[in-house]
Amino acid sequence: KATVSVLYWSKLKTTKMKKETCSFSGLPIHPGHGKRYVPSMVVSTKPVLPFVSAKSRALFLRKKNPRKIAWTIAYRRTMKKGTQEEMQRRRARRTKKTTARGYSAMDFETLQKKKTERPADRSAAKAAALKELKERKEKAKGKKK
């Protein structure tokens, strides 16, 4: 039996596998994934073109522009998607405060008056309104009889 040294395994753990980028989409291709395309008709500067999927390879062969296809990295760069500036702009938009408006039954001024009113004054006004309502009901009963 052949024995494998401990040094060999420790070297394997530390070495990083190199990720390639797709020639069409710009997405990373992890080791063991993707397909490579070798153009045989035309002599190109880059002899082997790696693609992340058959979809990206087919689009490349159809001579589609990656800047016009929404899921590619090239599109995201041209449309400035996912940049730091966009994230800061979003945060700034969310901090905007809404202006106070009146409800259907009362306008904004009366609403502000009620908010600034002290609780003791409010309870006194409520009691007076209830007392007036009771008196009106009693008068209505007196007229009926």
Side-chain angles (χ1 to χ4, degrees):
K1 286 184 175 181
T3 57
V4 181
S5 69
V6 177
L7 292 173
Y8 173 76
W9 288 109
S10 63
K11 282 182 184 177
L12 271 181
K13 289 177 187 173
T14 56
T15 55
K16 265 193 171 180
M17 299 296 269
K18 189 182 172 189
K19 279 192 254 178
E20 286 184 310
T21 54
C22 179
S23 294
F24 181 77
S25 65
L27 293 167
I29 304 170
H30 295 278
H33 294 271
K35 275 193 174 184
R36 296 166 155 275
Y37 172 71
V38 182
S40 57
M41 295 294 224
V42 184
V43 178
S44 66
T45 54
K46 196 172 183 186
V48 179
L49 303 169
F51 293 103
V52 74
S53 64
K55 177 183 176 180
S56 59
R57 184 172 152 260
L59 288 165
F60 174 81
L61 292 174
R62 276 190 253 147
K63 296 184 178 178
K64 295 288 182 185
N65 189 350
R67 281 180 242 115
K68 290 184 179 178
I69 293 165
W71 54 270
T72 61
I73 301 295
Y75 174 88
R76 294 187 69 77
R77 282 197 187 115
T78 54
M79 299 300 171
K80 295 180 177 80
K81 302 276 183 190
T83 58
Q84 291 296 324
E85 291 172 25
E86 186 188 13
M87 300 305 256
Q88 287 171 349
R89 267 191 274 128
R90 277 188 190 166
R91 283 193 200 111
R93 256 188 244 143
R94 284 181 188 158
T95 56
K96 187 180 174 186
K97 267 193 170 181
T98 56
T99 55
R101 290 189 294 244
Y103 294 100
S104 60
M106 68 175 80
D107 60 329
F108 180 66
E109 287 77 25
T110 54
L111 190 69
Q112 284 300 103
K113 282 178 190 172
K114 281 203 170 202
K115 276 186 180 179
T116 55
E117 213 173 62
R118 280 180 277 147
D121 295 340
R122 195 178 294 160
S123 61
K126 191 177 181 181
L130 284 170
K131 189 177 180 184
E132 194 230 327
L133 186 70
K134 271 188 179 179
E135 286 173 3
R136 257 195 276 146
K137 282 186 178 178
E138 285 175 11
K139 281 182 185 177
K141 278 186 181 179
K143 284 183 182 178
K144 283 183 182 179
K145 288 183 181 181

